[in-house]
Amino acid sequence: MEVKTSLLDNMIGVGDMVLIEPLSEDTFIENLKKRFDHNEIYTYIGSVVISMNPYKSLPIYTAEKVEEYRNRNFYELSPHIYALADEAYRSLRDQDKDQCILITGESGAGKTEASKFVMSYVAAVCGKGQEVNKVKEQLLQSNPVLEAFGNAKTVRNDNSSRFGKYMDIEFDFKGDPLGGVISNYLLEKSRVVKQPRGERNFHIFYQLLSGASDDTLKKLKLDRDFSKYNYLSLDSATVNGLDDAASFRTVRNAMQIVGFMEDEVQSVLELVAAVLKLGNIEFKPESRCNGFDESRIKDKNGEFCSVHFNYHSYHLFHGFSFIFLFLQDNSFEQFIINYCNEKLQQIFIELTLREEQEEYIREVSNSQYMKTNRKWSSLNVCNSNKFIARYGVCSKLVFSSKQSLSTICFLLSILPLSRCLLIHLSTILVYICPLHVFCCLTVYHSLLNVVYVVMAPPTAGFQFRASVGTLMKNLLTKNPNYIRCIKPNDKKAAHIFTDSLVCHQARYLGLMENVRVRRAGYAFRQPYEPCLERYKMLCKQTWPHWKGPAREGVEVLLKNLQVPAEEFAFGRSKIFIRNPRMLFFLEEKRRQCLEDLATLIQKIYRGWKCRTHFLLLKKSQVVVAAWYRRFAQQKKYQNIRSSALVVQSFIRGWKARKLLRELKHKKRCEEAVTTISAYWHGTQVRRDYRKFFRANAGKKIYDFTIQRIMQKYFMGLKKTMPSMSPVDKSWPARPYGFLDGMHQDLRRIFHLWRCKKYRSQFTEEKKATYEEKLAASELFKDKKALYPSSVGQPFKGDYVEITKNPKYQKLNSLVEDKVLLADVVSKINRANGKGAPRIFLLTKKSFVLADQKTGQVKASVPLLDLSSVSVSTQSDGFFGSTSAAKGDFLLSSDRLIEIITKLHRIGAASADRNQINIDISDEFLVQFKQDKVCVKFIQGTPKNGNGVACKRKNNRLLEVSVPSP
């Protein structure tokens, strides 16, 4: 968040009207309008705050704003009501000066809201603690109570204060609130019995009827129907039951926090109910025998007293009301309120002049002050005399032209005796004569204590004179702070600025005169420290640090800038600048200097950045060179090592071949000995056999015959032996029947031996492939028509070359485990049965579906969540998977047998998951999002020839046509 260091930074318009150039009423109003259009609702006239009602909520009252303005110089930040509140609070806390904040303005200008902001700021910055928080809460909660009994809806303001409020808060030496006294002035009591059109009575009457419980209303003998009470306005635009109901609960809670006892709260509500009932009493005219008129109550039930009053009539004045619509009937209370406002205006002018004069006396010696400020002193006397001549003599009327004099005379001629006309600072107003004193004496004798206290015998005029005197005395003994509230339009709407209305308020508030008073001497003043801190970059002697008193630094600075001596003056703690042009000259020089400094900073930063980049490149080049030299040496070493290995292998080969030749020669010698020995033994055996045969010529002939048959059988079997292929089922026929058993055993033994020899040739990878083929046979043989065509296909696994294809390198890096199968499949769409190409990756833990073009992962399903896979009995490649987390998928692949076999084998080989169930059926269900769809396979002739076609029958059926085998 940007934090300003002066009200001159990023200023919209002019933040202090004293600095406006040139000064005129038009530039004054234009500056207010410009700031208002940019939501800058606060503007200074020296230490006076002008507040424009924005008629909308603005984010400028947050806790961050409170901390931003806390303990800051008044002119250090942009204009804000928090700056004035902080200045007043710190003067009270640190200098022990009593402070008062005067908030003035028209109805609807935002006086009530301004007072709330001041109170909330003081509550936020003062101390904490249980007792302190209790006092702060009581002071803050007094507002809802006072507004309920003193505010009403008017044509100018929905929450118009119909009384003056003076809140006196006492603080201890630490600046913590100890308590407070709230005094109200000039309550408009006549509003209770009469409200102008479009306005309504005090809030409490509507709040009571809208928000009180049924039991409370029953005890007070009231009804929620507003039409039953004559004192309440019945305009639909003025009644808001929901807001009133909520406000009543807020008021009840606030009364308890402030300190009202329950019986006191009940007494107040009884008084409000009594006033509502009094309004329903009707009078009728009667003539007495002596000729005088009198008034009597129509309903004679109950207690009453007879008083001789005329039955008044207002028809005469109402007959002219259509001509002078700008004239309204105003009560005596409104008259004294307006008179009090003019007294406050007089106090404002007087204290403003005195404050300005004391500022010069405090900062400048008397001789220098009289010498350099004669112009301001003469203006001071002139303004005071003008004010007395215009506003101080009540017996005289001052008119600007003969036309205005004739207008006043005409108005006086048509007014009835019950009216009077007065000219105020703001406008011309017509007033009704006050209530007869006997009415006050009558209700004064009520038995209700609250009524006795409220309706004391002193008249309103007497009370007004005493209270205004006390108020003026209090204001004159305190250090004043001013907030001048202005409403921008009469429509109570945001973003509307009526120039004539604002100009009218500025005139009678005396804002232009206040600006001229401040500009008569020196237009701008600032303490030496912040002035030097802001402009020290304009002089080499003061930049970047000035060692010495701040005043001397400012003197050196202005001398270096060659500022004329008559344009400024030195006070005890502040520098005084006579003309705003001089200040703007300093600001322009500062802006140019800041641009130069920014350029210098950018240059230094760019140089640092380029040098840093160069050093990084240099370091990177050294690292790259080192790595390259390392790589080159590694390649050289590998080449030398490879060459050495080749030479060694050739030498070992030569030695091995030499040894082999020697071993072969030795073996042939040994075999020759064995052969000779065998022939010799054979000769001996044949000789012995002949001897034995001659000796056993009878029985031995049969044995010899059998031996000859067996020898012939084995020799013939050796010549007709089938091939070593395990799939070769041929076997030579037996020559004799009695050899059948042995013939079959030999066939079985030979096949087992042949299979063993065949398996011994396999690698581990080939063994796994045949094991998968065997598993596929167990799953699909004689169960699915597609299986025979897959027998001759090798199970390669990677059909898209995912490790070599650069298009899928990112996809391969995303898969954590080894890819067991990678192929292109079609993901069947539920809407039209068409397939979208997807990359199908299978690992030991999951299978992944990715976009074929971009390689972006579309779905990843853990195999732990895969419970079953469904396929048909036909020659199609469709299969549906059921997953608990991702839902179901309907896919199609030309390598269905291999995909399902690998899925089944992974489930069977894992100990931490259940085996995946393979469901082979021509109908199975697939869950598409929220709907279950039946996929049905039928034999037919698709439109596309011999391919498989999908057709959507309805929301629950997807029909797949498979060509007949």
Side-chain angles (χ1 to χ4, degrees), residues 703-714:
D703 295 333
F704 177 77
T705 304
I706 295 300
Q707 288 179 358
R708 295 287 294 177
I709 292 173
M710 293 297 296
Q711 183 179 7
K712 184 178 180 181
Y713 168 73
F714 284 121

Side-chain angles (χ1 to χ4, degrees), residues 498-536:
T498 306
D499 293 11
S500 58
L501 177 63
V502 175
C503 181
H504 175 68
Q505 297 174 77
R507 286 176 181 172
Y508 75 75
L509 288 175
L511 300 183
M512 288 292 296
E513 286 76 9
N514 187 250
V515 176
R516 293 190 181 100
V517 167
R518 290 298 302 267
R519 289 169 62 102
Y522 292 93
F524 183 77
R525 69 286 312 266
Q526 190 177 29
Y528 291 120
E529 288 78 7
C531 179
L532 180 62
E533 184 67 25
R534 184 168 182 82
Y535 302 111
K536 64 181 181 180

Side-chain angles (χ1 to χ4, degrees), residues 534-802:
R534 184 168 182 82
Y535 302 111
K536 64 181 181 180
M537 72 282 296
L538 303 181
C539 177
K540 293 182 179 179
Q541 289 87 340
T542 58
W543 177 259
H545 301 291
W546 170 257
K547 297 180 180 180
R551 173 170 176 169
E552 295 180 4
V554 174
E555 291 177 355
V556 172
L557 174 66
L558 295 179
K559 183 178 180 181
N560 182 268
L561 293 174
Q562 298 180 356
V563 178
E566 62 272 11
E567 290 294 333
F568 62 90
F570 294 105
R572 287 188 175 88
S573 63
K574 297 180 180 179
I575 175 69
F576 290 79
I577 297 177
R578 182 180 298 279
N579 199 309
R581 288 193 299 271
M582 188 66 245
L583 181 66
F584 295 142
F585 165 75
L586 294 176
E587 283 295 313
E588 180 62 23
K589 295 284 289 183
R590 179 178 181 271
R591 185 187 64 79
Q592 294 176 359
C593 187
L594 288 177
E595 291 180 356
D596 296 339
L597 289 175
T599 304
L600 178 62
I601 293 172
Q602 290 175 355
K603 180 183 71 173
I604 296 175
Y605 171 75
R606 291 192 183 102
W608 170 84
K609 187 176 181 180
C610 290
R611 175 170 175 79
T612 303
H613 183 63
F614 166 74
L615 294 176
L616 181 62
L617 290 178
K618 183 178 179 181
K619 182 180 178 180
S620 302
Q621 187 271 335
V622 173
V623 174
V624 170
W627 277 89
Y628 174 77
R629 286 192 293 269
R630 175 187 174 186
F631 171 76
Q633 291 298 323
Q634 286 179 343
K635 292 292 291 183
K636 183 178 180 181
Y637 166 76
Q638 289 175 357
N639 291 334
I640 294 174
R641 184 173 181 272
S642 299
S643 301
L645 291 176
V646 171
V647 173
Q648 290 176 359
S649 63
F650 273 103
I651 293 174
R652 293 191 186 98
W654 173 75
K655 289 183 177 180
R657 288 191 294 273
K658 182 179 178 182
L659 178 62
L660 177 63
R661 285 193 296 270
E662 293 176 352
L663 293 176
K664 284 184 176 180
H665 177 72
K666 184 178 180 181
K667 184 178 180 181
R668 283 197 296 271
C669 294
E670 293 177 352
E671 288 179 350
V673 173
T674 304
T675 302
I676 294 172
S677 176
Y679 273 101
W680 185 82
H681 286 293
T683 302
Q684 293 295 324
V685 169
R686 286 193 294 272
R687 187 185 63 183
D688 294 338
Y689 174 75
R690 286 193 293 270
K691 290 179 180 180
F692 176 78
F693 182 76
R694 283 193 294 269
N696 301 283
K699 177 178 178 293
K700 301 298 182 181
I701 293 175
Y702 175 78
D703 295 333
F704 177 77
T705 304
I706 295 300
Q707 288 179 358
R708 295 287 294 177
I709 292 173
M710 293 297 296
Q711 183 179 7
K712 184 178 180 181
Y713 168 73
F714 284 121
M715 293 301 293
L717 191 63
K718 177 181 178 181
K719 294 178 181 179
T720 59
M721 189 68 66
S723 67
M724 296 295 292
S725 175
V727 296
D728 188 0
K729 298 182 180 181
S730 62
W731 186 252
R734 67 183 188 282
Y736 303 100
F738 72 91
L739 297 175
D740 185 59
M742 184 179 66
H743 187 74
Q744 294 298 330
D745 290 339
L746 288 174
R747 180 180 184 180
R748 180 177 59 82
I749 293 171
F750 176 78
H751 179 71
L752 293 177
W753 174 78
R754 180 174 58 182
C755 289
K756 181 180 179 181
K757 297 290 286 184
Y758 187 83
R759 287 196 302 271
S760 64
Q761 301 173 4
F762 291 169
T763 62
E764 293 297 326
E765 182 179 357
K766 200 168 185 180
K767 285 182 180 180
T769 302
Y770 278 95
E771 287 176 359
E772 288 183 353
K773 286 289 185 177
L774 181 61
S777 174
E778 294 174 356
L779 289 174
F780 298 104
K781 186 177 181 181
D782 301 329
K783 298 179 182 178
K784 184 165 179 64
L786 185 65
Y787 171 73
S789 62
S790 70
V791 173
Q793 298 176 356
F795 287 176
K796 292 173 55 179
D798 186 3
Y799 295 96
V800 297
E801 296 183 346
I802 189 169

Side-chain angles (χ1 to χ4, degrees), residues 390 397-406 408 423:
R390 185 173 183 183
L397 293 176
V398 180
F399 303 100
S400 59
S401 64
K402 292 183 179 181
Q403 183 179 1
S404 60
L405 176 61
S406 61
I408 299 300
I423 303 174

Side-chain angles (χ1 to χ4, degrees), residues 356-364 369 373 521-522 525:
E356 189 74 6
Q357 187 172 8
E358 289 177 351
E359 172 79 8
Y360 285 102
I361 294 174
R362 182 171 57 252
E363 291 290 332
V364 187
Y369 165 73
N373 293 286
Y522 292 93
R525 69 286 312 266

